[in-house]
Amino acid sequence: MASFRKRGNSYEIRVSMGYDLNNHQIIRYRTWTPPAGMSESKAAKEVQRQAVLFEEECKRGRVVSGSTKFAEFIQIWFDDYASVQLRPTTIQGYRQLFKRIIPALGHLRMDRIQPHHLQAFYKNLAEPGIRDDGKLRFKCDLDAMRNEKGWTQTKLSDLAGVSITTIRQIAAGKNVSKETAEKVSACFDASVADLFEPLSVNAVLSSNSISHYHKAISSVLKTAVQWGYITDNPCDRISPPKVERKEAAYLDDKQTLELLDLLETIPDSKYDFYVAYTMLLFTGLRRSELLGLRWHDVDLNTGVLSVRQTVKYIEGKGVIFDDTKTGSSRRSFKMPADLIPLLKNYRAWQNARRLRMGDRWEDNGLLFTNDFGAPMRPDTLSSNFRRLISGSGLPDIHLHSLRHTNATLLIANGTNVQTVAKRLGHSTSSTTTRIYAHAIQAADAAAADAVPLFRTSREKSKGGAG
C-alpha cells in the first residue's frame, strides 16, 4: 500500500515491498514536487494519483531503490556496467573523475539528486585552487640529499618506485606530479611541503575538464534510469557546462623546419626517439597508435602504414595493448616517401640493439620499445620530447602538437578535409573541420587572395594579344 507525506514544497511517497531475509521492511521512495502554480487541492489529488502509479511500477519491478546512495550506485555501475562495456582506459578516466565526484555528491540518495546539486558542484569545480593534480618542483638540492644518504640515482629510483629519468628530471628542476612528489618525499621521511613547492596554488580546472565531470555523472545516472533506480536523469534538466574551444597548438612551416633541425641533435644512442618524433610529425599518428605499431604494420615496399592497435598505460596494470580509439581509427594510408629509408636504417639500428641484449630481449615485433624490447611507456616518449623542446626557442608545445602540425600543414598545402580526416582516423570530417577551423580559414583566405592575381595575369595576356 502506498502512502505519502508532505515535506516542505514536495511530497515523499512510500511503498512497502514486504520484508527481506533479515526481516527488515523494504521501502521504496519517490519524491514528487507539484508544478509551480498548482493549487493545494489539485496537488492533494495529484499526489494520490502519483502514489498509485508509483506502487504499480514497484509491483512490476520497474523500481529498484531510489534510496540507494549515489556512491553505492557508482560502485555497482563500475562492477556491473563499466567492467563489461567500457575499455580499460575509459574506466581509468572515470575512476579519476569520481575521486572528486563521490566526496561531493556520493552521500545523496539517488532519487534526491537535483539539478541544483549538480550546478553547485560545477560551480565549485570552477573555483581557483580546486585542482589537486597540479605540478610541483623540488626546492632543495636532491643530489646533495641523496649523497648524504649514500644513494646513487639508481638507488633512489628503486626506493621511490619511479624511473631513473624522473629522478634526473627532479634534480634538474623539472616539474613532477603530486604522486611522484609523495613517493620521493617518503624516501627522505619528509612531507611533500618540506621538499616541493606547488607551481600554482590558484590553478583552476578548464571548462573542458568540468564538462567531462558532467558527462561522467550523466552517463552513470542514465544507466540508473535504465535499471529502474530513478525515473529521470537530473542531468537532462540542466544546461551542461559551456566548453571554451581552444585552438590546437601547432607549429607553422618555419617552426617545423626548426624542429627538424632540433631533432638532428638527438644522439645516436636515442635514435629511436629521433625516428618516433619524425614519424609523428610526418604521419599525424596519435602517440598510442605509434607505440602500438609492429613491423608487419609497416610495408617498406609499398610505403603503406596500417594502424591496428594502441599501447596505453593503466594504473595498477602497467603498459597494455588496446584497441584503436574508434573504428575509423583502424586505418591504412600511404607514408611520405622520405620515411622509407629512415625506417630501413632504424630497423637495422634496432636489430643491433636486440643482438646486444641477447636473451634479455623481449620480442614483441614492435617498432618502438624500451631497452629490452618490451612496449615503451607512453609518458617516456612525452617526457623526452618536453626536455628536447625546453630552451629550444620553439613554442611550448607538447607531443600531440606534432599531430596538429601534420594536419595543419596538409590543409595549408591544399589537401582536402576528407583526406585529412581519413589519415588522422577521425570518425567524420566535421571533427577535422572543428579542430582545424583556423587552418581551413587560412587556406581559404590564401585562395581568395590568389584570385585577383589570376585575373590580373589573364587581363595582361588579353592586353598583349590585342
Side-chain angles (χ1 to χ4, degrees), residues 21-42:
L21 294 175
N22 296 317
N23 205 34
H24 294 150
Q25 191 174 21
I26 302 171
I27 302 293
R28 300 289 182 254
Y29 297 89
R30 174 174 291 175
T31 298
W32 178 75
T33 303
M38 179 177 281
S39 66
E40 282 194 33
S41 59
K42 286 185 177 181

Side-chain angles (χ1 to χ4, degrees), residues 219-253:
S219 179
V220 172
L221 293 178
K222 179 181 178 182
T223 305
V225 173
Q226 293 171 344
W227 290 354
Y229 280 78
I230 52 178
T231 57
D232 74 307
N233 184 348
C235 289
D236 295 338
R237 290 185 274 131
I238 62 173
S239 298
K242 187 176 180 180
V243 177
E244 298 175 7
R245 298 293 179 188
K246 293 184 179 180
E247 276 196 10
Y250 67 96
L251 301 176
D252 59 27
D253 50 357

Side-chain angles (χ1 to χ4, degrees), residues 328-348:
S328 55
S329 297
R330 191 179 177 90
R331 63 199 186 279
S332 297
F333 59 89
K334 191 92 170 179
M335 293 183 292
D338 289 344
L339 286 183
I340 305 302
L342 176 69
L343 286 172
K344 288 180 177 179
N345 289 336
Y346 173 58
R347 189 164 196 174

Side-chain angles (χ1 to χ4, degrees), residues 24 34-35 48 99 105 123 136 144 158 239 247 260 266 295 299 306 325 367 380 387 401 406 419-420 445:
H24 294 150
Q48 292 180 30
K99 286 180 180 179
L105 303 171
K123 182 179 179 181
L136 301 99
D158 292 339
S239 298
E247 276 196 10
L260 290 172
I266 296 176
W295 281 107
D299 192 325
S306 299
K325 185 175 183 181
L367 267 72
T380 300
R387 286 198 298 276
S401 300
N406 174 269
T419 300
V420 176

Side-chain angles (χ1 to χ4, degrees), residues 256-286:
T256 302
L257 292 176
E258 293 176 7
L259 174 63
L260 290 172
D261 289 338
L262 182 62
L263 294 182
E264 294 294 335
T265 66
I266 296 176
D268 291 342
S269 60
K270 292 190 174 182
Y271 189 55
D272 48 348
F273 290 99
Y274 168 77
V275 177
Y277 301 144
T278 303
M279 281 194 70
L280 288 173
L281 180 62
F282 280 86
T283 64
L285 289 173
R286 300 177 177 93

